[in-house]
Amino acid sequence: MKPNQKRNTIILGAALLLGAGCGKGFLEQDIPGRMPLEGYYKTDADARTATFAAYDMLQAEYNWGWGSPLLLKTLPSDESNAGGNGPGDQPHYQALDNFTHDAQGESILWVWRMNYFGIYRANQVINRVAGTSDMQKRYIAESKVLRAYYYSELTALWGDVPLVLKDLAPAEYTQTKRIARAEVYAQIEKDLQEAIPVLSVRSGLPASERFRVTKGTAQSLLGKVYLYQKKWALAAEQFNNVINSGEYDLEPSVAMAFSQKGEFGIESVFEVPFTDQKRYTWDNFPWDRFREIESNIHIKLMGPREEHYTRMTGDSLDGGWGFNVGKKKLYDAFVAAGDVVRRKQTMFSVAELTAGGGKFADPTVWDFEGYIQRKYGSFSTVTTNPDDGTPDLNYGTNSRLIRYADVLLMAAEAYYRVGNEGRSRTELNKVRKRAKLADVTATGNALFDAIVRERQLELAFEGFRYLDLVRWGRAEAELGPLGYKPNKHELLPVPDEDVRIGHLEQNKGY
């Protein structure tokens, strides 16, 4: 694949400097020549810069290699195939898709590591900013939400993980072990509960700062954490707070929610910004300096395989490198549900491409079942042409981490679990109405099945399906034919580097 021609060798010194506290494995270690931390974090301006550094790791999807949290959570599901040029094209993504991944996986290492880099940066704000002004208190609260988000990702994917809340002395590097997931969740809950009273609501932020976490972000994340722990009533309470806040609503369509116009729009609860204004070329793209990357390079990675693809008349979906291609199973689920409008905004078939004046020259290409995803599509409208006329590296599509539609569906699940089926149907049907579907009137198990189906269709390609199937106990039935093994694939392997260096215990089966 093209990026492999441009990548440089990993240099540990650069890694440490750019990580601003990247540690030995998952832990922090000293960096020669670094300015003392004690002289910083004193003013509001210091706190602002340090907090934005904690946000910055949300954007780290290419880390001396391909390490997208979105693909890490999507490829083990039953909604897409890894794709690419063949089984050797980004083999770590192929392995996730086939459930042959192990502790050596590149994307597994880097998603683990980027979360801990983010935690390190959040810890610096939480522990070093004095909180003597309202702004400093707000930055501390935002950093607590960021730390909670990073830990929620880690514990959802790896289970028990090291809980690091302070700087570690060198002697502690190999003594900081994994702790029970319940204890990690307890810390997440504590951080979010402390942050919520301090944070601004969404409407209290200027448009230029809509990337920042808000009260609604923290409440949504807290509700999700409760939901994952089966604390149904507490989850419902938090989702109710978000719904009743009046700060959020659904966009007119899924397509609008994922458009440029929809970025940080009324449906956005938490999203990560990228820009198309860096004017990168194949000569200046910072492959070896990943924290300088400000575009969303994975959008090009996920476009339909460009050497085979001709877009439909009037469409703006350009070709890419052919990863994250839709499965027939997902397409058929849309069809079975009579879900026409939302399906066309989410994925389309080669038959539809051809009928629309486009073409896919080789439908037998590797891992391709004849379906293309549009949600994170490589649209010409979200990239710019640099001087050499190659827009491939300048996609500015934001990553949507929490949408209001997801909040409504999580609320529907929580209310179902506590026995309030009427309220469950109310929140579920809000999402269905947007998709031009009839209201669900089912009760009992049929209502829960409707919630499961709605999450599959509404949140397709957003990184939720695999985790949902695991927590519902449905992963073996749905993913078993793809290679999923119970008592192993509920969790990812701990990166081998941290098993060896940090003396961490490996997850079962790896």
Side-chain angles (χ1 to χ4, degrees), residues 400-420:
R400 278 69 168 177
L401 301 184
I402 304 176
R403 287 195 294 130
Y404 187 58
D406 182 21
V407 173
L408 293 176
L409 293 176
M410 288 191 290
E413 181 180 347
Y415 280 113
Y416 169 81
R417 298 289 193 179
V418 298
N420 189 344

Side-chain angles (χ1 to χ4, degrees), residues 61 88 141 143 166 169 176 238 241 310 344 363 384 391 403 407 438 461 475:
E61 298 205 348
S143 296
K166 63 180 182 64
T176 303
Q238 292 303 318
N241 289 336
T310 302
K344 289 181 178 180
T384 54
R403 287 195 294 130
V407 173
F461 305 114

Side-chain angles (χ1 to χ4, degrees), residues 16-301:
L16 294 173
L17 287 170
L18 288 169
C22 309
K24 187 175 183 180
F26 61 91
L27 308 174
E28 186 269 344
Q29 64 176 296
D30 293 335
I31 302 173
R34 183 178 62 184
M35 294 180 63
L37 293 175
E38 289 72 17
Y40 198 61
Y41 304 100
K42 301 299 184 184
T43 67
D44 287 2
D46 291 345
R48 175 185 173 89
T49 302
T51 303
F52 286 1
Y55 279 101
D56 189 49
M57 302 318 297
L58 295 169
Q59 205 182 60
E61 298 205 348
Y62 179 90
N63 324 288
W64 306 289
W66 300 90
S68 165
L70 174 65
L71 290 187
L72 186 74
K73 292 180 287 186
T74 299
L75 293 178
S77 75
D78 55 354
E79 56 195 0
S80 72
N81 292 328
N85 192 41
D89 194 354
Q90 300 303 325
H92 56 102
Y93 282 157
Q94 306 291 340
L96 286 166
D97 184 27
N98 298 323
F99 289 100
T100 58
H101 53 273
D102 58 28
Q104 302 284 348
E106 181 178 285
S107 53
I108 290 171
L109 169 64
W110 287 113
V111 173
W112 164 278
R113 182 159 290 178
M114 291 305 114
N115 279 303
Y116 274 110
F117 287 179
I119 288 165
Y120 173 86
R121 292 181 175 193
N123 283 344
Q124 298 308 306
V125 178
I126 295 166
N127 296 330
R128 295 181 182 275
V129 173
T132 53
S133 70
D134 288 343
M135 286 305 300
Q136 289 184 20
K137 291 175 183 176
R138 180 173 162 186
Y139 291 133
I140 292 170
E142 290 183 33
S143 296
K144 286 182 177 180
V145 177
L146 292 172
R147 182 168 71 180
Y149 178 79
Y150 291 127
Y151 269 122
S152 72
E153 290 283 278
L154 286 165
T155 198
L157 291 166
W158 281 277
D160 302 346
V161 296
L163 185 63
V164 182
L165 304 177
K166 63 180 182 64
D167 291 351
L168 300 176
E172 297 176 284
Y173 291 167
T174 59
Q175 298 174 10
T176 303
K177 305 302 181 185
R178 300 170 67 186
I179 69 168
R181 175 185 269 176
E183 294 182 53
V184 180
Y185 275 134
Q187 180 61 49
I188 293 171
E189 292 172 16
K190 180 175 182 292
D191 278 344
L192 294 172
Q193 290 163 353
E194 291 174 353
I196 286 170
V198 182
L199 293 170
S200 169
V201 295
R202 178 184 180 277
S203 60
L205 295 177
S208 62
E209 296 188 5
R210 287 285 170 86
F211 68 90
R212 295 170 69 171
V213 299
T214 63
K215 189 184 299 290
T217 309
Q219 290 168 329
S220 298
L221 181 56
L222 182 56
K224 180 176 180 176
V225 166
Y226 284 143
L227 191 73
Y228 276 39
Q229 296 177 86
K230 302 182 180 180
K231 298 179 179 179
W232 315 123
L234 292 173
E237 179 184 1
Q238 292 303 318
F239 298 137
N240 189 57
N241 289 336
V242 178
I243 293 166
N244 288 339
S245 71
E247 293 287 328
Y248 306 96
D249 203 350
L250 297 175
E251 295 283 5
S253 67
V254 168
M256 175 61 78
F258 278 84
S259 69
Q260 270 191 320
K261 189 175 180 179
E263 290 181 346
F264 299 116
I266 193 67
E267 193 166 337
S268 173
V269 181
F270 190 27
E271 70 180 82
V272 182
F274 290 89
T275 181
D276 62 356
Q277 297 301 308
K278 297 298 288 186
R279 303 188 69 80
Y280 293 129
T281 70
W282 288 104
D283 293 325
N284 68 18
F285 194 83
W287 298 107
D288 58 337
R289 305 182 308 281
F290 77 93
R291 286 315 314 126
E292 295 180 22
I293 299 174
E294 299 293 338
S295 64
N296 193 342
I297 186 62
H298 270 85
I299 296 301
K300 182 65 177 181
L301 189 87

